[in-house]
Amino acid sequence: MTTDGVRVLLAGPRSFCAGVERAIDVVDRALDRRGGPIHVRKQIVHNTHVVAELETRGAVFVDELDEVPDGATVVFSAHGVSPAVREEATLRGLDVIDATCPLVTKVHAEARRFAARGDTVLFIGHAGHEEVEGTLGEAPSSMILVEDAAAAAAVEVPDPARVSYLMQTTLSVDEAAEVVSVLERRFPLLRGPGSDDICYATTNRQDAVKAVAAESDLLLVVGSANSSNSVRLVEIASRMGVPAYLIEDASLIKPEWLDGVRVVGLTAGASAPPRLVDEVIAALAPVSVEERVVARETIQFTLPLAVRTG
């Protein structure tokens, strides 16, 4: 492709977050210790390259536990599972290694706590996402999914004085705030979590995209189509009036996107490997690469006991 004179602005932070690194490390170590096959319920993280690489090492990705042989090892993905899935695994005698992101686990605990105190829990998230399904499963009789501001304006609850809300960890910060604002107007006694449910990595990547998009003619987001946090990055740039595209890797860049473009903003969702960003830069062959860093991430999560060294 022809990219004469193009500059690249890198968003920072980008690519893997601590929860994703932990989940991938769980599968890597399980394969090292036990050999293949290691079954994984759903994609360990939402990235086709990560999944394909782990498959070459012996990971077997399944949609449901009935595809896992009795007594086999199964890893639960970073997005978490419902108590019903855990119970099924126990009944089947499966050897479970839980790679659920600790920040998702926090939301699960909040769902149980809010439901136990008698609240209707309004869960802000996207239907069908694995994290949403797992969280709703913590208290199905007490939770209602609210997908957007329109749903927030229409939702009905048994007791308006006993209402709380929680959020999917990978939402758009701005859109989630809009939904909460609607709920607060409708339910003045609405209670929320003690700390933000949208995870630090999601927030940081969204802030970085805003900084980069403000200076760019075009934004490329490296990530898979089923990655919620990656899709949100595209949406943010689009709302700012900047053409934005989600790409699995450099091979999907269309030359016509670059017509008349002088500055390309570049980022990657939290489940996209950093090497894919490097490959995009190599494909663009820019005259310069600059970085806009809005935050430094130093968080690390402890691995499950089953795969720790020593």
Side-chain angles (χ1 to χ4, degrees):
M1 65 186 73
T2 301
T3 59
D4 293 342
V6 163
R7 296 168 51 227
V8 166
L9 287 183
L10 280 175
R14 62 187 173 276
S15 296
F16 285 169
C17 65
V20 165
E21 289 180 338
R22 175 181 183 270
I24 295 170
D25 203 10
V26 165
V27 180
D28 274 332
R29 290 183 180 224
L31 288 166
D32 287 342
R33 288 181 170 219
R34 307 179 186 196
I38 295 291
H39 291 79
V40 184
R41 184 185 180 275
K42 308 294 187 181
Q43 292 186 350
I44 186 66
V45 298
H46 285 159
N47 186 269
T48 57
H49 286 272
V50 170
V51 169
E53 288 165 9
L54 290 173
E55 283 177 331
T56 65
R57 298 199 54 217
V60 178
F61 294 89
V62 299
D63 284 329
E64 298 299 343
L65 293 185
D66 59 11
E67 301 172 62
V68 182
D70 289 348
T73 297
V74 62
V75 177
F76 291 156
S77 81
H79 307 102
V81 299
S82 69
V85 173
R86 295 183 186 278
E87 182 179 358
E88 181 185 353
T90 299
L91 293 173
R92 294 274 315 285
L94 300 179
D95 179 14
V96 172
I97 305 175
D98 191 356
T100 302
C101 175
L103 299 180
V104 174
T105 300
K106 163 188 171 289
V107 180
H108 283 207
E110 290 169 337
R112 295 191 298 269
R113 179 164 59 88
F114 289 4
R117 71 188 183 194
D119 287 3
T120 298
V121 185
L122 303 178
F123 188 66
I124 305 169
H126 299 295
H129 191 279
E130 290 150 38
E131 181 186 332
V132 171
E133 292 176 349
T135 306
L136 292 175
E138 292 289 350
S141 63
S142 300
M143 299 186 74
I144 301 173
L145 179 63
V146 176
E147 292 199 72
D148 52 30
V155 67
E156 297 294 338
V157 300
D159 183 355
R162 303 192 69 85
V163 186
S164 54
Y165 74 88
L166 296 170
M167 297 181 186
Q168 181 180 336
T169 62
T170 55
L171 296 180
S172 161
V173 173
D174 294 337
E175 291 188 354
E178 180 184 359
V179 175
V180 172
S181 178
V182 173
L183 293 175
E184 287 175 335
R185 288 197 297 271
R186 294 196 60 211
F187 308 111
L189 298 178
L190 181 73
R191 294 185 286 183
S195 59
D196 288 342
D197 283 339
I198 297 178
C199 84
Y200 75 94
T202 296
T203 301
N204 288 344
R205 280 152 189 74
Q206 291 179 15
D207 288 344
V209 158
K210 291 175 184 177
V212 163
E215 302 180 55
S216 301
D217 304 312
L218 166 74
L219 181 79
L220 298 177
V221 178
V222 181
S224 294
N226 63 337
S227 167
S228 175
N229 76 87
S230 299
V231 173
R232 304 290 85 75
L233 299 179
V234 173
E235 292 174 349
I236 286 169
S238 297
R239 287 198 299 273
M240 294 175 65
V242 179
Y245 300 96
L246 181 65
I247 55 173
E248 288 277 4
D249 52 49
S251 69
L252 296 179
I253 301 173
K254 295 184 178 181
E256 57 265 31
W257 294 347
L258 299 166
D259 288 347
V261 168
R262 309 304 297 174
V263 180
V264 176
L266 178 59
T267 190
S271 50
R275 67 169 178 81
L276 299 179
V277 175
D278 296 336
E279 291 170 7
V280 170
I281 293 172
L284 293 174
V287 296
S288 66
V289 178
E290 302 172 45
E291 189 174 28
R292 298 288 182 269
V293 178
V294 301
R296 300 287 183 184
E297 295 178 350
T298 59
I299 291 176
Q300 292 183 312
F301 295 129
T302 303
L303 289 167
L305 184 61
V307 293
R308 287 184 207 167
T309 303

